[in-house]
Amino acid sequence: MKYLNPITWLEKMNGAALDMSDNAAVTLLRKKMLAELALSEGQVLQVAGEWLNKNDLLQLFDCVQSPAQFSYYQQIKADPVLTNFLETGRITALFIDTPLYKDEAFLAFIAPFYGPLFTTAVLDSIKQREVVTLQYLFANPLLLDAEYMKTSFDSIFHLLREQYQQVEQAKAILEKNNRYNWKTVLPYLDHIQVQLLNALPGNFQEFRSDYGILMINFALLLNRLNRSTAAAEILHEVSSLKTITYVQEQLAMYLPQVEEKAGKSVTWGFILDSWLGRKLGQMGKPTEWGIKIGVLVLIVLIFVLGALFEKPRKLPPDIATFEQSSDFDGSRTYHTMKYVVAALEKEARKAKLPLEERMADSIQTGDDPYGPAFMDAVRRQGNEGATFVLPAFDHNLTQLPEDSDMAYQDPQHRQSVCVFNRVSLSGIVALVQTPDSFYSRYVAEGDSVFLPLPLSLSRIYFYVGTGWDPQRTVRKGMEKVPAYHLRGSFVLSLYNSSTFLRRSCLQFNLDTTYWKTSNRYIPIEVRLFQGQRLQLKQLSDNSNGMEMYEGE
């Protein structure tokens, strides 16, 4: 059933705002429109691009004369996000918070309009792998009565079962023919698929758990066929899937075995696949080719460079993640930062559905949501970090000619990182840590912010999500300062934001001599890679005066 808000349409017909309580004005407009209709060719009128016949007109006028329906249409008109969804079938934000959306009479009224659009949007989001849209659809109240909810959920279950059966069939074929191209079903086993399933409400918990078991069994089959790296990646995705405890217990039983057989940590598998595989194998080869080539290159590098891998690798132009660094161990901010990152990582893994009523969008670019409370917790630790020693800057680094391009030079923002948010419908909180201090900055969609860096060790974490809730508080306090509870987080996580937090962490060590004379700043873009995964992009190749690494 097509949604037409009679208040909006009658005002368009009138050419100005119309007082619907003025019966004389409404009756006069009705007579005028019916007269125009009678004189029109084909007995139809075009209003704002829509063709209306006599029956359509009479229904619009009848709706505003019903007190209950008129009230419903008024409140829908006051919610621009809901109005846009009913008119276009697209959703990009959250509805207003009102008890009306839980009222049974209202649900019965709106379900015929909302139900078909909602079902289509959910099915399209799953098919087109649009995680953010699906999260919004289920983050908002489900404006469905019992009948429409059953119809909608039946359609969703049908599509999910089709995907389940495709994976099941691929597994059966692969068991008989180990040369079968199983990667045709890889989209149903990856991070995006897990996020899509996690966005679904509790009604789908049993299906999610069954799907988790299927992913485990598929991974174990790959492991038996000596595709252990791919198997381990699939099992790690299962760890993020919201399932019953039994599934996670099965995962914990098999994952160590698969990782051991892979012969390397899963972290290194990700590095070789995402970086060396991308740099050396961009000819459409399967991802294992990137790993095989990477292993050969790694062996050569070990012999040639010896101890190179005892410290983090330098950041390539397209950034890839790697092993942990302990440069901040023992610093004044170490324990507080460890608590904050773990808390945000846990928050990002939560689907956070349904929404809490206190959710608000009160944060703006440049705001510092965490800094004051963080530093208060640091001060409460007393002499923590008193013996910390800064690592020395490597002055043997080659200094390359400076860029002639002045695009990334600004005396007012010299010695800073400029973060550009290029992820649609997202906000970013950049968390800047030094051994002695901390601050954070919010960056809205399409905006940017400068992050001044000290002439010493520092690192930046990127927390990505949508729908900022300043009141959301982490239940568990910091171990060393129990009174400190992290407050404020995103309502919805986006893409791979839970793993992106640590893997995208940028570590800097700046050269004092160089930055005394340079007006340069360091441009970093947060973007989507192939529309599926968050990624950092360094917008300038100039690396003079700094050591920069990625990964915690």
Side-chain angles (χ1 to χ4, degrees), residues 324-344:
Q324 284 190 332
S325 167
S326 58
D327 286 345
F328 281 77
D329 290 359
S331 69
R332 187 169 176 241
T333 59
Y334 172 74
H335 292 291
T336 314
M337 196 72 209
K338 183 178 179 181
Y339 164 74
V340 168
V341 171
L344 290 178

Side-chain angles (χ1 to χ4, degrees), residues 363-367 419-430 441-449 465 490 526:
I363 195 166
Q364 297 179 350
T365 294
D367 288 352
V419 177
F420 298 86
N421 181 358
R422 298 290 185 255
V423 184
S424 298
L425 308 176
S426 80
I428 298 172
V429 178
R441 291 289 184 268
Y442 179 79
V443 193
E445 174 193 356
D447 212 341
S448 63
V449 72
F490 290 112
V526 183

Side-chain angles (χ1 to χ4, degrees), residues 385-406:
T387 61
F388 176 78
V389 179
L390 280 171
F393 180 81
D394 186 357
H395 290 279
N396 294 320
L397 295 176
T398 302
Q399 294 292 314
L400 300 175
E402 289 287 281
D403 294 340
S404 58
D405 184 4
M406 301 295 290

Side-chain angles (χ1 to χ4, degrees), residues 11 53 141 149 186 198 255 272 324 371 374 409 498 528:
E11 288 179 347
N53 57 30
M149 184 171 292
L186 188 57
N198 282 344
L255 181 57
L272 296 173
Q324 284 190 332
F374 183 106
Q409 297 198 26
S498 61
L528 276 183

Side-chain angles (χ1 to χ4, degrees), residues 341-362:
V341 171
L344 290 178
E345 194 172 43
K346 187 175 181 180
E347 288 294 294
R349 283 178 179 148
K350 295 178 182 177
K352 302 188 183 75
L353 304 174
L355 295 175
E356 295 182 0
E357 293 182 359
R358 294 185 300 176
M359 197 284 295
D361 285 321
S362 57

Side-chain angles (χ1 to χ4, degrees), residues 427-448:
I428 298 172
V429 178
L431 303 96
V432 184
Q433 177 196 12
T434 78
D436 297 308
S437 63
F438 169 90
Y439 68 92
S440 62
R441 291 289 184 268
Y442 179 79
V443 193
E445 174 193 356
D447 212 341
S448 63

Side-chain angles (χ1 to χ4, degrees), residues 157-173 180 185 188 207 211 214 218:
F157 271 118
H158 180 74
L159 174 60
L160 294 174
R161 279 192 289 268
E162 286 182 347
Q163 295 183 346
Y164 183 98
Q165 289 168 3
Q166 289 188 52
V167 178
E168 202 171 36
Q169 291 169 5
K171 177 176 173 291
I173 296 172
Y180 171 69
V185 295
Y188 301 140
F207 177 84
Y211 204 95
L214 177 63
F218 198 99

Side-chain angles (χ1 to χ4, degrees), residues 265-284:
S265 70
V266 176
T267 302
W268 273 109
F270 283 140
I271 296 164
L272 296 173
D273 181 35
S274 64
W275 188 63
L276 292 173
R278 185 169 66 248
K279 296 296 181 186
L280 302 176
Q282 293 180 334
M283 298 180 291

